[in-house]
Amino acid sequence: MVERPEKRVLTGADLKAFYKALANPVRRDILSYLGKHGEANSTSVAKALGESTGTTSYHLRKLADLELIEELENRGDGRERWWKSRSKDIYTPPGLDLAPDEREAMLKLGALKLSHDLGLVARAYAGYDSARGWNQIYRAGLHLTKEQVASFVEEYQNLVWKYVTEPGQHPEGSRSVAVRFIVVPDEEESVED
């Protein structure tokens, strides 16, 4: 289990930077690779992704600028830099005062994530019977107050962090699994408070 890091709140400027970074498929692939393998240098990432070391070095530095990965100072020889994924608890609070371009970046980042998530849902349903228990689908509806929603979300987040492991140090027999959680009122109505 990994100790849950302090929540990182994304500002409007952060949202623009994250969208720009994560819109690039090579950067998403690098994050995925480091999440699975733990530590890597640009050469091993380049080989795994079929990219040049120059390309992966550039993208690794950009991901480090966003504090999504970090350099391992005690590895490498000064010429070859080693990197690892950082445990992250990233959050964008509701009601954030955003400039129009920042709001657009937030929506585009959300659409990018949703596109990925829709693919996951389709795979979960398509392979439900043949997954031998790996695919789990559960939907529920509740009646909650706003305070109960906040409590429910916090309990869910704590449960997820209970099972987080360090990249490259996953339990034997484990698989990378995607877990998504969305809380939204069933019907659109004006929100007073």
Side-chain angles (χ1 to χ4, degrees), residues 117 120 156 160 177-181:
D117 292 349
L120 291 172
Y156 167 80
V160 168
V177 296
V179 178
R180 300 299 186 262
F181 176 71

Side-chain angles (χ1 to χ4, degrees), residues 36-102:
K36 182 176 181 181
H37 298 284
E39 302 173 359
N41 59 29
S42 61
T43 303
S44 58
V45 173
K47 184 176 179 181
L49 302 183
E51 298 287 342
S52 72
T53 56
T55 297
T56 55
S57 290
Y58 172 79
H59 290 301
L60 285 161
R61 288 191 306 274
K62 291 298 181 186
L63 291 169
D65 289 345
L66 291 173
E67 299 177 17
L68 293 173
I69 66 171
E70 63 188 353
E71 185 176 357
L72 296 167
E73 300 288 336
N74 59 346
R75 285 209 62 185
D77 56 11
R79 180 168 152 70
E80 185 66 64
R81 297 165 74 179
W82 282 78
W83 304 89
K84 76 171 193 166
S85 182
R86 294 184 66 180
S87 293
K88 46 206 166 291
D89 192 2
I90 300 173
Y91 174 69
T92 301
L96 192 63
D97 188 23
L98 299 173
D101 61 335
E102 295 168 342

Side-chain angles (χ1 to χ4, degrees), residues 32-39 84-85 165-172 174:
S32 178
Y33 182 84
L34 287 174
K36 182 176 181 181
H37 298 284
E39 302 173 359
K84 76 171 193 166
S85 182
T165 56
E166 285 289 342
Q169 298 186 18
H170 310 298
E172 187 175 327
S174 69

Side-chain angles (χ1 to χ4, degrees), residues 111-167:
L112 186 66
K113 292 176 184 178
L114 182 59
S115 173
H116 176 74
D117 292 349
L118 287 173
L120 291 172
V121 170
R123 261 189 26 230
Y125 277 104
Y128 189 75
D129 291 332
S130 61
R132 296 184 307 226
W134 282 98
N135 294 9
Q136 296 291 319
I137 302 166
Y138 182 77
R139 300 176 71 227
L142 302 169
H143 281 81
L144 302 173
T145 65
K146 188 168 76 170
E147 292 77 19
Q148 288 174 315
V149 167
S151 177
F152 190 87
V153 169
E154 185 174 336
E155 287 182 47
Y156 167 80
Q157 291 171 337
N158 288 333
L159 178 64
V160 168
W161 278 98
K162 177 181 171 184
Y163 291 93
V164 172
T165 56
E166 285 289 342

